[in-house]
Amino acid sequence: MRILGLVLVFCILFIPENHAQVKELSFDRIVLELPHKQMDTINQIQQKSIDSIFGMAAVDLMEFERVLGYKLSGQLHLRLIQSAPEYQSALQQHPIWLERYQSQYMAVSSNHFPIFVGATFDQIRVQLRYVIAYYTLNEFLNGSSIRQKMTQSGYHHFPSWLSQGFCAYWSNGWNIRAKDEFDYFQNKGAFPSPNQIEPMSAQTYGLSLIHI
């Protein structure tokens, strides 16, 4: 089924039962995944936000590709989650969080990312921009296939604090909250040297250097 509106073309697909059924809405390289078990609340989101989320993601992806000088090869899947506990559970199992928590490269191959939509418009925008930067930068550095990711050596010499800081800066810039986080980690001695950064402080450290 196609719905034409502001040049948006939605394709409604269904993932098989063994893939935690979701309804998919796709436009170009952006795919929104709507979990069936949340369809009652998602229906409310659809009426108010789906077009906005598609629009933001498409514009932000093109902007980041222009900045990086690289075009993402495949689609980016964004699973819209209304429940905060469910979002936290999905995030904590995802490489985008595990890389920050462990401060090591996870050779991510998944192009599916959880997005918490029980938030403000600006907060959703920050999530979208970080995910877009994270996934596009990862593919730019390591290639799009598992074989390419396992044979590339460049990323292993690319500090996690630098990639995380870059994504954080592009998604939300430097602000009072970022400064407060930096002061907190600095006061607890989390930055002894660029080669000895506490995992959870790496993003803040990289953000502070890029900001300078």
Side-chain angles (χ1 to χ4, degrees):
M1 177 182 295
R2 293 186 175 181
I3 303 174
L4 299 178
L6 297 177
V7 200
L8 293 181
V9 180
F10 296 93
C11 302
I12 301 179
L13 306 169
F14 288 91
I15 293 180
E17 189 98 14
N18 60 345
H19 280 82
Q21 261 190 356
V22 298
K23 181 168 74 172
E24 291 187 348
L25 304 174
S26 63
F27 170 65
D28 193 20
R29 290 168 296 155
I30 304 297
V31 179
L32 301 188
E33 299 181 350
L34 314 177
H36 283 308
K37 62 182 178 180
Q38 294 189 40
M39 284 310 295
D40 289 341
T41 53
I42 291 295
N43 284 335
Q44 300 173 6
I45 297 171
Q46 280 183 293
Q47 297 173 12
K48 297 185 291 186
S49 309
I50 294 261
D51 285 358
S52 296
I53 294 173
F54 261 125
M56 286 189 296
V59 169
D60 288 341
L61 176 57
M62 288 188 292
E63 180 187 347
F64 189 75
E65 289 175 330
R66 180 183 58 79
V67 170
L68 198 60
Y70 175 81
K71 186 172 183 178
L72 191 67
S73 65
Q75 289 184 315
L76 184 62
H77 291 247
L78 307 173
R79 177 164 296 197
L80 307 187
I81 301 177
Q82 177 75 13
S83 163
E86 184 173 341
Y87 168 73
Q88 290 295 334
S89 176
L91 182 65
Q92 289 170 9
Q93 300 174 54
H94 197 282
I96 199 171
W97 169 257
L98 294 175
E99 282 193 12
R100 184 178 182 191
Y101 184 72
Q102 300 175 12
S103 193
Q104 65 180 32
Y105 177 50
M106 302 294 294
V108 59
S109 57
S110 172
N111 60 343
H112 294 251
F113 295 85
I115 298 293
F116 180 53
V117 292
T120 66
F121 186 88
D122 288 341
Q123 290 169 336
I124 295 174
R125 183 74 180 274
V126 170
Q127 293 178 71
L128 291 174
R129 288 176 68 87
Y130 191 94
V131 164
I132 286 169
Y134 171 86
Y135 187 69
T136 308
L137 181 63
N138 187 288
E139 183 179 289
F140 171 72
L141 292 171
N142 302 286
S144 57
S145 69
I146 294 178
R147 178 184 293 275
Q148 288 174 319
K149 292 177 186 299
M150 297 306 294
T151 56
Q152 288 284 358
S153 60
Y155 195 99
H156 299 282
H157 302 289
F158 198 79
S160 61
W161 55 259
L162 185 55
S163 59
Q164 291 178 25
F166 181 71
C167 293
Y169 186 77
W170 193 78
S171 65
N172 203 27
W174 179 262
N175 50 40
I176 294 176
R177 179 178 178 180
K179 183 181 184 306
D180 288 344
E181 288 184 358
F182 177 81
D183 290 342
Y184 167 78
F185 285 121
Q186 186 176 48
N187 290 336
K188 66 177 293 196
F191 313 132
S193 82
N195 295 320
Q196 293 177 301
I197 304 294
E198 287 188 8
M200 288 304 295
S201 67
Q203 178 175 294
T204 302
Y205 179 76
L207 175 58
S208 68
L209 293 183
I210 293 173
H211 160 68
I212 295 173

